[in-house]
Amino acid sequence: GPIPAPVPALTVAKGRPKPPPPAQAKPVAKTPPPEKPADEGGPLVTVARTKTPPVIDGTLSPDEWSACSAFAGYSSYVTRQLDALDVASFAGYDDAALYLAFVIPLPRGAKPRAKVAERDGRVYKEDAVEIILDPAGDGDIRQLVVNAIGTVFDRRGAETAWQGNWRIATGSGTANDLPSGLATGTDFWSLELALPFKDLELPTPRPGDTWRVNFCTDGQHPRVFAPTFESYLERAKFAHLRFLGAGTPVLHLPSLGKLTSGNIALTGLVRNTSAQDATVTFRIGAEKEGTRIVERTGFDEIVGALFKWEDSVAVPASKAVPLSLATMMEDSRLDRFRIEVIATSPDGTRTPLYRQ
């Protein structure tokens, strides 16, 4: 059947968002705390602190986002597996704002579908990106949905009158229009945003601060970064967004290759901003759904399919090292994946940079 619209939950008969009660000037409706504890081992991405903010013009110019963190690893909202049409995502911040960018591949032969031009209109029914922020993990959610022509729906909790002065720009093109390392193989559309912390009504994050978040796409090809397959707003399953400080290695990994086809190809770079060398370790585990290990006399039998792979990159102090790690998974039955990237300093301090 059709996928239900993930947002907003509160609508009236004509599909327009329901206004907040008039009794309070700025009501904020908080989602009740989850019944189950949040998954502390769930997805994690990091946000690099940047000295030069990117230009928000809808075009991802070469190296424009290279000082920011980059990540991929979205799952199909339909199949619940890693999506072959993965989204390259970028994140950075400074004292003023959080900067985000997304490159959204389209199904072969498709073009972006977006017509809604009215702010707070039903953009979530079209090709759009959803940015869902739960900074304190308490349900005080900021949600932005931006369609492929740059129209935004934004709310805080259930308060749809809440708006920010966001800088938003979109673009589109063919795979040949993208910088090297971002090849999608299909046409795409892109989104760049600057979200001022003052408009988010939040203080500038400190290094080590962690928000709960979800990033999703709507429209022709729905995807989620966090495993929120029942609703985009399943807060207990939100990803962790950790803000980095100076001296922490920055992972720029906009592509995981074609994992669903058995092709591991990690391309990008690791930038070490510290005065110490670092080692960055990449681990990928895969299995067929339902795989189990059966204990036998003298050995363990694997019923199903398992795969484990690990590689490391040495990153000298104050240097950037290109990533080009590749291998093949020969068992076509593998359909569940776990990816982890950890930076280790000479004193043994371990900093997770990515987990999915």
Side-chain angles (χ1 to χ4, degrees), residues 85 105-113 127 173 186-189 220-221:
L85 290 176
L106 293 162
R108 190 167 300 279
K111 299 296 181 183
R113 296 178 184 173
D127 285 342
T186 68
D187 291 352
F188 71 94
W189 70 278
Q220 301 178 72
H221 204 81

Side-chain angles (χ1 to χ4, degrees), residues 20 56 60 67 99 127 176 267 308 333 350:
I56 307 300
L60 277 74
Y99 305 99
D127 285 342
N176 295 330
T267 57
K308 292 184 179 181
R333 296 175 296 168
R350 291 158 52 90

Side-chain angles (χ1 to χ4, degrees), residues 288-302:
K288 174 181 169 24
E289 185 177 13
T291 293
R292 66 188 191 277
I293 299 176
V294 180
E295 294 185 3
R296 304 293 188 192
T297 303
F299 69 97
D300 292 337
E301 177 185 359
I302 298 174

Side-chain angles (χ1 to χ4, degrees), residues 111-117 123 126-128 147-151 189 220:
K111 299 296 181 183
R113 296 178 184 173
K115 294 182 179 180
V116 174
V123 294
E126 304 182 316
D127 285 342
N147 71 4
I149 59 173
T151 307
W189 70 278
Q220 301 178 72

